[in-house]
Amino acid sequence: MAGNTEPLSPRAKLAVTAGKAAAAVSRAAGRGSGSVIGGKVALKLDPDLLGRLAQHLDVVLVSATNGKTTTTRLIAEALRASGPVVSNALGANMPAGITSALAGGSDAKYGVIEVDEKYLAGVARDVTPKAIALLNLSRDQLDRAAETRMLAEKWREGLSGTKAVVIANADDPLVVWAASSCPNVVWVAAGQEWKDDAWSCPACGGVMQRPGDDWFCGECGFRRPAPSWALSGDHVLDPHGSAWPIHLQLPGRANRANAATSAAVAAVFGVPPQVALERMYQVQAVAGRYDVVSFQGRDLRLLLAKNPAGWLETFSLIDPPPTPVILSVNARGADGTDTSWLWDVDYTRLAGHPIVVIGDRRLDLAVRLEVAGLDFRVCETVDEAVQLSPPGRIELIANYTAFQDVRRRVGN
Ligand SMILES: [Zn+2]
């Protein structure tokens, strides 16, 4: 399809123009970038617009509970080696935001699109992607475990028989189960640190066996597929067994896994792993996920941990003790209003760090840390927490709305 320059219909053009106008009004009114409102107006005028905008693009969709924004950035950077890319790099990942992003990319050859998990099947129907990357599935809003299984079911049904090459994580049983309705799957051993949402077999409900890095269901025989790509330490192993070094400016094992998946995706588009991985080095901070800011004369690294799996991944990438750590937890709508998930996260991994606790639910977190036997202090504000932290760069880990609160305060 790439290179097809068939012009948009008058109706589609009108929808794009109206969408841009609405976005401009929204921006002028001080409501952010305006891209979502613009997309909503455009889709209302022309419900098929998303499919039409994607018509001339080779599209890859990226979905997961964690890491989709970063992986979208990595894939976009890799594919730029072979042509112009349009992407919803700012993370507006529902149909309106995606429409708006694609409307700005008429000269692009590739569309690299992050999709909210709930919308994946629908967007895949609309845009006929060439590839779909599925990274992981775990509880997102922190109090909603049962929804994870339903989401996997939705993927499985919605992607069944897709013509896209599906690049899927062989180490996440829910992802494997969702992807196994697809005829053409490239399995990547990308790892899975958070296993608590995958102890029961998604196929039959039986108990999952997990010897070493392997997994299988003792009851129905559902098991880990043999991967053709793998993350191995600081390297990506390609299907020929060659090892390619990963150099990223982004921290942590989770991001190396995202790079491995991105290399497998790039290969589907003809970009070799060496070229893809070299280009990924260009990706620096990912807005709203990892960021180093200066505040009160101190360096703060801001780390978003949206869900239990995210907290665990984050603990694995912070600097070792005695690096000071500030934790902030809220429980507003977007976070999930129940904080019982705190008991699912192994906070003993923070032993040895000086810890300060802030956020709306600092007392819930304090109880949790007390039981974990950790030393910590409780503060009202981030200002106070920074003043109390001993010298050195501070690692500040927060859940969704707490992260936004901190960013507003530290002015970034
Ligand atoms: Zn089973």
Side-chain angles (χ1 to χ4, degrees):
M1 280 291 207
N4 178 351
T5 51
E6 187 186 321
L8 289 175
S9 69
R11 185 177 180 80
K13 268 190 201 148
L14 172 68
V16 169
T17 309
K20 282 184 178 157
V25 170
S26 169
R27 266 195 305 275
R31 297 194 186 137
S33 77
S35 73
V36 172
I37 181 79
K40 275 188 182 150
V41 168
L43 273 181
K44 201 141 233 165
L45 285 169
D46 182 356
D48 300 327
L49 183 59
L50 184 52
R52 232 163 311 163
L53 288 170
Q55 223 166 41
H56 71 285
L57 298 169
D58 276 348
V59 170
V60 50
L61 303 181
V62 181
S63 201
T65 309
N66 287 318
K68 52 187 177 295
T69 302
T70 308
T71 305
T72 299
R73 287 280 305 276
L74 294 173
I75 294 171
E77 206 50 55
L79 293 191
R80 279 194 186 101
S82 145
V85 169
V86 60
S87 179
N88 53 341
L90 295 174
N93 62 13
M94 297 185 204
I98 295 168
T99 301
S100 168
L102 291 188
S106 51
D107 299 330
K109 178 179 179 193
Y110 301 112
V112 183
I113 300 173
E114 167 188 342
V115 191
D116 182 278
E117 306 91 278
K118 291 184 286 301
Y119 292 91
L120 177 64
V123 172
R125 257 192 314 277
D126 287 347
V127 305
T128 330
K130 184 168 176 177
I132 303 173
L134 306 176
L135 315 179
N136 52 67
L137 271 179
S138 68
R139 277 177 276 172
D140 190 13
Q141 293 219 341
L142 300 156
D143 48 359
R144 298 183 181 173
E147 288 181 8
T148 312
R149 169 68 173 67
M150 282 168 51
L151 214 46
E153 180 91 50
K154 225 172 153 179
W155 282 10
R156 186 178 167 85
E157 281 173 14
L159 301 180
S160 163
T162 179
K163 292 200 172 68
V165 179
V166 174
I167 298 90
N169 184 359
D171 292 321
D172 185 326
L174 275 170
V175 166
V176 171
W177 188 68
S180 44
S181 68
C182 306
N184 190 359
V185 185
V186 174
W187 299 110
V188 181
Q192 184 192 39
E193 195 150 356
W194 176 262
K195 299 183 171 65
D196 289 15
D197 289 328
W199 282 109
S200 77
C201 171
C204 77
V207 178
M208 220 47 128
Q209 313 289 318
R210 288 180 168 277
D213 292 333
D214 198 10
W215 57 261
F216 62 91
C217 169
E219 286 166 49
C220 74
F222 177 61
R223 59 168 46 249
R224 180 179 187 262
S228 46
W229 293 75
L231 170 67
S232 173
D234 291 332
H235 289 75
V236 175
L237 303 181
D238 74 14
H240 309 291
S242 306
W244 304 99
I246 302 172
H247 299 291
L248 288 179
Q249 300 194 55
L250 304 173
R253 193 212 66 85
N255 283 323
R256 290 197 296 278
N258 295 336
T261 303
S262 300
V265 169
V268 171
F269 292 85
V271 177
Q274 185 181 8
V275 176
L277 288 163
E278 274 170 11
R279 294 192 63 92
M280 289 178 210
Y281 181 76
Q282 305 303 321
V283 178
Q284 299 177 350
V286 175
R289 302 293 188 278
Y290 320 98
D291 242 338
V292 178
V293 300
S294 179
F295 180 64
Q296 295 185 350
R298 304 285 299 272
D299 281 342
L300 264 68
R301 180 156 69 162
L302 309 182
L303 301 156
L304 173 67
K306 285 190 299 183
N307 45 44
W311 281 87
L312 213 57
E313 295 279 10
T314 305
F315 294 163
S316 74
L317 61 81
I318 61 176
D319 289 341
T323 301
V325 172
I326 300 174
L327 305 176
S328 185
V329 171
N330 287 352
R332 301 177 200 159
D335 306 309
T337 52
D338 176 355
T339 54
S340 61
W341 61 270
L342 286 167
W343 297 88
D344 297 335
V345 176
D346 180 12
Y347 284 95
T348 59
R349 295 218 194 167
L350 294 178
H353 290 279
I355 302 169
V356 183
V357 174
I358 58 173
D360 295 350
R361 305 305 282 266
R362 55 189 176 274
L363 296 183
D364 296 359
L365 182 54
V367 170
R368 175 69 188 91
L369 298 187
E370 184 72 46
V371 170
L374 296 168
D375 283 328
F376 62 93
R377 305 176 72 164
V378 179
C379 285
E380 295 271 319
T381 63
V382 64
D383 301 60
E384 208 185 317
V386 168
Q387 281 154 25
L388 273 183
S389 295
R393 184 173 80 175
I394 300 169
E395 308 275 22
L396 192 157
I397 311 172
N399 73 342
Y400 195 67
T401 66
F403 189 87
Q404 292 174 326
D405 285 354
V406 168
R407 281 174 68 99
R408 257 193 301 276
R409 175 63 195 121
V410 303
N412 189 280

